[in-house]
Each structure stands twice: as structure tokens, then as C-alpha cells.
Amino acid sequence: MHAELGRELRRALRCSFLAVPLLAACLPNPQIEPEGAAAPRASERFAKQVHRIEMRDGIHLHTEVYVPTRGEGPWPVLLERTPYGVGPHDEDGFHLALTTRYTELAEDGYVFAFQDVRGRYGSEGEFVMLRSPRDPERPRNDPGAVDEGTDAWDAIDWLIANVEGNNGKAGLLGISYGGWLTVMGMLEPHPALAAASPQASPADMFIGDDFLHNGALRLAPTFGYVAMMETGNENEPFDFDQHDVYEFYLDLGPLSNVDRLYFDGEKPTWRAVMENPTYTEYWRRQAVLSHLDEPEVPALHVAGWWDAEDFYGPLEIYHRLEQQDDDDESFLVVGPWRHGGWARGDGSSLGAIPFDSPTAVTFREEMQRAFFAHYLKGDTPGAGSPKPWTDAEAIVFETGANVWRRYEAWPPAETRVRSLYLVAEGALAFDPPAAAAAGTADDEAADRSDSYVSDPDKPVPYMPRPIPGFWQGGQALWKVTDQRFVDGRPDVLTYTTGPLEGDVVLAGAAIARLHASTTGTDADWVVKLIDVLPEDHAVEELRGFQLMIADEVLRARFRNGFETAEPVPPGDVIEYTIDLGERHHRFLAGHEIMVQIQSTWFPLIDRNPQTFVVPAEATEDDYRVATHSIHRSPQHPSRIDLQVLPPEPRRGEP
């Protein structure tokens, strides 16, 4: 008994970084539950069962099942699969999710099932990180062809056949890695699977999710996550011996030192990342997008505007399925949350940024609850007879204005592109740079550019130092950190519009088109889109606050595609397209729009040697200082293209 309690405590302590999440798919860890008002004890409302469900290849997966003991059935089954261990549990041994993040669903009546994936915690078999889907040419009943999709199929099949009181319908849901597992279960769904909600699921680990972004390695997230997940069959966070991991990763030196000093070639995911520095078949097979076709299961896709781990994934999965969503059963919800923030707390703020309403509660009570009730129970809570659960294709929160918006399509059909140009003296302008008069000092023969020196030995931190290790807390809110902490650095360029005369409403993509050159043969281009709040803001803490709205990095060697890396010709001015992702944000009149450009973002992104060399093979001598230039002439008009809504008519106008 004492041993089990100790194990539960260690689990909770190890993942008390729920607020953190440099750690990719790890968050939110189902072992940590959200804060909030306590619901009735789960033991008073559910009967607990523990099963070892046999998969088609004979492997048994540890599964906890909770059957309602109140109200009238039959009940749908809700299955959550996890690599982080089923739990934690309350003092009665019941899963805490029943009285926290699933409180609203529990009130409506479901059979809940929580399952360890193969090779993790209480389940048999071998764990493979983000196991690629099986060969589709092999028949489903082939016992040797298993993947996370077949395991979900087998689990649902067993639950429907063996758990008394179910209504024959099942739903899948999960966040982050659990969201990815949900997508796997949707590829070839069990006939009983009637609804699914993949939340913050990664879609492509090379292009936009946990491991790399546009070919640039997310060093701290990948190192920490691999260490935690592949040291044993339970979470084992890496024991940093320094309070500031900025120093740890800087002292680490070239990437080749990771195996030499710490991993000894024994971490298969790290080895695969190092052995696949371009977009190879390894990445292609692992990417969710390469396996998605038309939607076969009604789906509620969920994302957070400030998700530091998996924002790219849920939007891309939604868009891919939406292309063939003939039955209008694929929906999108995006709120003002960090990774998994909709599943805990009330969502009324994020760091210092207020949202004026309990956005997470609104999601859980009015969106997630209604979605599953409609598809699994045939009704909408409080509405009586069956009817559509929502009148919108996309429900998205407009930050800045702090209101929920409902659209028939995302992005909204009425948007248009408006460009912000980088111009002289650190300014941003909606008008392109004009040609200078002939014969002047600034005529067309003179180059217009801004330059900075990028030193790999003195990289720009991605958040204020000291930067703690991923389980120690702190990183969860780095995306809403006031960006003034990099003010004055000579290796960060800053451009601003000055106070806006009217609102600018971003409702879709923000795409940077940089015209840049370098003295090196490779470079990273980091672009941040920022809302600068006025100095007379009513909240003292927010006066002059620089709130990052969108951000991204591009490794220059992949400017022409990710399959092949190409050196950058020194001195050549090249146009780079950097997709900062989709957002819905209102830059209010009186605020300023800011763009920051830099070439290091450490240790979020590994240091680019700035010489064309395979990263895993780089030596200390390959890391060299380079001068980067951002050009802003009529021939080379660096800009940010914003997908915006048309200006709203003034009061009294039609």
C-alpha cells in the first residue's frame, strides 16, 4: 500500500511541470489534473474495473474502466489512451480526471476508459515513439501488423463487447500525444467509433511540431522529451545539474556531444532525428498528414493560440480533413490557451494577459460537452431532442477583443491580405518602400538594409534567464512573456508601426517574406509578430507590454524545400518565406504592431553553425560568427503579409 502511494506521489511530482511544457507531446500529462472546484467523489458516482485487454498479437494493455452508478443508461464509452501512465488517482484509487478535467462529461454519464499504450507503465509490449501506421496493404486481421490505430480498434472492440451498460457507441479523445493517438484511431476507425476529439495533436515533427520547426531542431524540447520517454517504461525526467539550462545547452557544444556525454546511442528517437537531417521517408511515414484522407469520424479539433508545443498540428489536421468534409462533421475550436490549457483551470487569463471570461470553462461546458453528447448520446445537454450541436464550422477566440467568434469557414472567407513593409529607421509601414530620387544619397544604387552580427557562442535566449529544466516550471508561459527582455541586443532587429489609427484584425495567416543575405553559408531566420500595448494602459503591469502574437523559425538551407538541404551563397540576397501560422487577434487602435528578427533562439532552437554542415557532424570549429542583413528596398521589399478582416464600418455607416 505504501509503495503504491509512493509511486503515485513520484508520478505527480515528476509531472508537476504541467504548467511547463517545453516538453512536446508530454503535456498535459494525464497524471496531473487541473485546478478548480472539487466535484463529488468519483467513488460515489462510478464503479471501477481494471482489465488487461488483449490485442490481436497477444499483448495485454492495462486499462481502467469506470462505469456510472447513478442515472439511467445505457452509456457511451469514452476512451483516452496515454503513454504517461493512467492516473493520478484520488485517495479512493479513482482517476482524478473524473472530478476535474472531465467533470462536465462525467455529469452527463459516460463509461470512461483509460489505457496505457503498449510498452508504457502497466502495459506489455515494446514502446515505439510515435509508431508509424502499419502497412495498409496488410489486412487488419493480420496479427503481425499492429500500430496505435489497431490497438485503439481492439480496445474499443473489447470495451463494447465486455462492459455492461454501454450503448454501442464509443468516443476517442486526448491531448498532445493523446491527441495523436486519437488521430491514429480515426484512420481506420472501429464501427462503434462515433466521435473523436484530437486536441493539440502533432501532425509533422519535422515541419511544425515538437521536434523540429522548418528543419531547425527544437533542442531543449527534443532532448528533454527523449530523455524522459526512452530511459525506461515510465517517465524519467533528465536530471539537469544546473539551474539555468541555457548554460547547460551552451556548454554541451556540438550536437554530437549528446550521445557521447549522455545518451550513448541508446535513445532511438534521438538517433533517428540525428540520422535524418532532411525530410526523409522516416519523417514522411511518421507525419499524420501523409495518412489522412477524407474524414470518417465526426471530429472536434482543438488548439491554443499560445501553444508552445503543438499549434501547427491541429490546424493542419483540421485543414486536411476539411478539404473532403462533405458531411460537415469536422469542427475547429481555438482558444487563448497554452498547451492543454483548455483542460485545466478556468482560462480567464494567461500569465499577465486577461481574457475577460473563463474561456476554458466555456470550452468544456459548451463545446466539448455538446459535441460528444450530440454524436454519442443523440442530444445536446439541456436542449432535449437531437439537433446539430453547433451552428458554426469554427469557433475561435479573437484575442485583443477577447470575444468568441463563430465562422462558417476558417479562415473567414471575407479576409484579404494586407502587407506591412520594413522601412527605414526601424519602422513598419503599410505602404511599400518608395524609389529614391535619382542622384540622391539614397538612390536605387544604394542598398537599403539593416545588419546585425550573429554569434553562435552568444545566442539570444528565447525567454528571460534563468531558464529552468522542463520539469522545474517556468517555460509554459514563455510565449506570453514580455518581449522587452531582448530590447537593446545588437543581434535583434526591431520594427514598429507607431500607434495605430484604427483596429487591424488578423484572421488567418501571417507570413513573413524576408529578403536577406549573410556572410555565412547557412542561417536561421526567426520572426516574431508582436502587439505593443500603450504606455497608458489601464493595467499598470501591461503598460508598454510587448505581447508576442505569432512566431516561427526557418533554417535557410531548406528555403527551396525540406527534402534537400542547400548551402546559402554568401552575399546573395534571397527571399525567404516564413509562415508564422494562423491567428485571430485584434491590434487595437493606439497599440503598435512590432516585428522582431533574429537568428538565434536558444536553447529552444539549436545553434546554427552558420556554415553548411550536417548538424550532427558539426565540430566546434564549424560554429562561426556571421553578419546577416535584412533588405528593404523596392527591389527587395521585406514584409509581413497579414490575412485581415475588412475594416468595420464606423458607427452610423452602412
Side-chain angles (χ1 to χ4, degrees):
M1 179 66 174
H2 293 293
E4 180 61 25
L5 287 174
R7 181 175 179 178
E8 289 292 333
L9 178 61
R10 288 194 299 275
R11 286 180 177 179
L13 289 175
R14 285 170 179 169
C15 287
S16 61
F17 58 90
L18 171 58
V20 184
L22 252 186
L23 245 275
C26 161
L27 297 176
N29 191 320
Q31 296 173 352
I32 298 299
E33 299 303 326
E35 65 275 15
R41 296 170 74 96
S43 59
E44 298 173 0
R45 305 171 64 187
F46 293 91
K48 178 180 178 179
Q49 305 172 6
V50 179
H51 300 283
R52 296 180 65 75
I53 299 178
E54 185 173 354
M55 301 292 103
R56 65 194 58 196
D57 61 346
I59 292 297
H60 294 83
L61 302 188
H62 170 255
T63 310
E64 292 184 359
V65 178
Y66 297 86
V67 181
T69 56
R70 294 182 180 180
E72 296 182 2
W75 318 104
V77 174
L78 276 178
L79 172 63
E80 177 188 276
R81 308 186 66 244
T82 177
Y84 304 122
V86 170
H89 301 89
D90 63 20
E91 59 187 20
D92 297 321
F94 282 60
H95 202 302
L96 281 177
L98 301 172
T99 53
T100 51
R101 57 193 161 97
Y102 292 153
T103 297
E104 297 82 6
L105 294 172
E107 290 174 354
D108 293 341
Y110 292 88
V111 173
F112 289 90
F114 303 92
Q115 183 176 78
D116 291 328
V117 299
R118 58 174 62 214
R120 295 291 289 172
Y121 286 82
S123 290
E124 300 172 350
E126 178 190 7
F127 173 68
V128 176
M129 181 94 74
L130 299 169
R131 184 189 297 267
S132 298
R134 64 184 178 82
D135 184 346
E137 298 300 321
R138 299 180 70 172
R140 176 173 288 283
N141 59 1
D142 183 345
V146 296
D147 57 23
E148 299 297 355
T150 64
D151 283 354
W153 202 100
D154 292 348
I156 292 171
D157 195 62
W158 189 95
L159 291 166
I160 295 297
N162 292 278
V163 177
E164 293 185 5
N166 78 80
N167 71 353
K169 293 183 178 181
L172 271 174
L173 77 166
I175 302 172
S176 195
Y177 203 118
W180 178 83
L181 291 167
T182 299
V183 176
M184 293 298 102
M186 295 166 56
L187 295 181
E188 294 180 279
H190 189 281
L193 184 61
S197 183
Q199 303 177 5
S201 169
D204 194 309
M205 289 296 206
F206 190 92
I207 295 176
D209 287 306
D210 302 274
F211 294 162
L212 296 93
H213 275 213
N214 294 323
L217 175 66
R218 282 165 48 90
L219 175 60
T222 305
F223 177 96
Y225 191 65
V226 168
M228 184 182 77
M229 296 294 288
E230 296 186 340
T231 297
N233 71 339
E234 298 188 9
N235 292 348
E236 293 291 340
F238 185 81
D239 187 13
F240 293 95
D241 59 359
Q242 296 171 238
H243 178 58
D244 186 358
V245 298
Y246 178 99
E247 292 293 343
F248 171 86
Y249 286 110
L250 196 58
D251 293 342
L252 182 64
L255 294 179
S256 59
N257 287 339
V258 171
D259 261 333
R260 184 177 65 83
L261 297 175
Y262 299 109
F263 288 172
D264 299 321
E266 297 177 352
K267 303 292 188 285
T269 298
W270 181 266
R271 188 168 63 248
V273 170
M274 293 298 101
E275 292 174 352
N276 292 273
T278 61
Y279 200 76
T280 62
E281 184 64 19
Y282 169 80
W283 299 108
R284 193 173 294 107
R285 281 189 50 78
Q286 191 181 80
V288 165
L289 299 178
S290 63
H291 303 285
L292 291 176
D293 196 358
E294 62 185 67
E296 297 187 50
V297 180
L300 177 64
H301 306 273
V302 184
W305 292 129
W306 283 286
D307 187 335
E309 310 309 322
D310 298 299
F311 178 76
Y312 172 88
L315 271 293
E316 289 299 311
I317 293 169
Y318 164 75
H319 286 309
R320 180 63 59 88
L321 291 175
E322 184 61 17
Q323 293 173 7
Q324 300 189 57
D325 183 23
D326 297 333
D327 295 327
D328 291 327
E329 291 187 328
S330 187
F331 307 95
L332 176 68
V333 173
V334 191
W337 306 307
R338 59 186 170 101
H339 193 58
W342 51 91
R344 55 183 179 267
D346 67 5
S348 59
S349 63
L350 191 59
I353 309 303
F355 303 126
D356 303 333
S357 67
T359 64
V361 174
T362 298
F363 166 74
R364 296 195 299 268
E365 289 189 346
E366 300 180 15
M367 302 172 197
Q368 178 172 262
R369 186 179 194 178
F371 171 78
F372 281 115
H374 175 66
Y375 286 105
L376 299 184
K377 300 171 74 72
D379 60 32
T380 301
S385 61
K387 66 176 186 178
W389 75 277
T390 178
D391 58 359
E393 172 73 27
I395 307 173
V396 298
F397 193 82
E398 181 184 318
T399 55
N402 287 349
V403 293
W404 286 101
R405 304 290 191 191
R406 304 170 81 88
Y407 295 108
E408 289 306 309
W410 178 259
E414 61 269 31
T415 60
R416 60 187 177 88
V417 175
R418 194 176 184 190
S419 298
L420 266 175
Y421 294 88
L422 280 56
V423 293
E425 298 179 350
L428 283 175
F430 287 108
D431 296 320
T440 65
D442 193 30
D443 69 13
E444 222 41 58
D447 178 46
R448 303 185 207 173
S449 64
D450 300 305
S451 301
Y452 58 97
V453 175
S454 177
D455 185 349
D457 290 336
K458 301 174 183 178
V460 181
Y462 76 98
M463 63 177 288
R465 295 177 61 186
I467 300 173
F470 68 87
W471 79 92
Q472 296 170 322
Q475 300 98 325
L477 301 179
W478 73 266
K479 282 197 175 253
V480 290
T481 296
D482 190 338
Q483 294 299 304
R484 283 180 290 192
F485 79 94
V486 297
D487 271 358
R489 282 194 64 117
D491 48 2
V492 178
L493 297 179
T494 300
Y495 302 84
T496 56
T497 58
L500 297 170
E501 294 183 359
D503 294 358
V504 175
V505 183
L506 174 60
I511 298 177
R513 304 190 189 279
L514 296 187
H515 293 252
S517 61
T518 176
T519 58
T521 53
D522 196 12
D524 284 350
W525 306 114
V526 177
V527 180
K528 300 183 287 188
L529 179 67
I530 296 167
D531 184 349
V532 183
L533 281 59
E535 290 291 346
D536 62 354
H537 196 282
V539 179
E540 183 176 358
E541 187 180 5
L542 297 178
R543 291 173 183 171
F545 196 101
Q546 296 178 5
L547 174 62
M548 189 164 64
I549 303 302
D551 56 272
E552 194 51 280
V553 59
L554 172 67
R555 188 143 286 181
R557 63 176 57 203
F558 296 116
R559 63 195 178 278
N560 294 320
F562 298 113
E563 289 79 8
T564 304
E566 303 175 35
V568 177
D572 283 10
V573 180
I574 297 170
E575 180 176 355
Y576 297 90
T577 299
I578 308 167
D579 189 343
L580 307 184
E582 298 172 9
R583 297 295 188 278
H584 198 5
H585 181 78
R586 182 177 294 262
F587 296 91
L588 297 169
H591 290 218
E592 300 181 45
I593 301 177
M594 173 183 286
V595 170
Q596 287 182 347
I597 300 171
Q598 57 200 60
S599 290
T600 49
W601 215 13
F602 192 75
L604 177 68
I605 302 299
D606 73 310
R607 298 177 302 143
N608 190 320
Q610 303 184 142
T611 58
F612 186 72
V613 59
V614 176
E617 300 174 2
T619 67
E620 293 282 1
D621 292 339
D622 292 319
Y623 291 81
R624 300 174 189 172
V625 174
T627 299
H628 304 320
S629 299
I630 305 299
H631 299 257
R632 46 177 175 75
S633 66
Q635 291 95 339
H636 301 295
S638 293
R639 67 188 189 275
I640 309 293
D641 289 340
L642 303 177
Q643 193 172 359
V644 301
L645 289 171
E648 297 170 350
R650 296 180 181 178
R651 189 172 300 174
E653 296 180 352

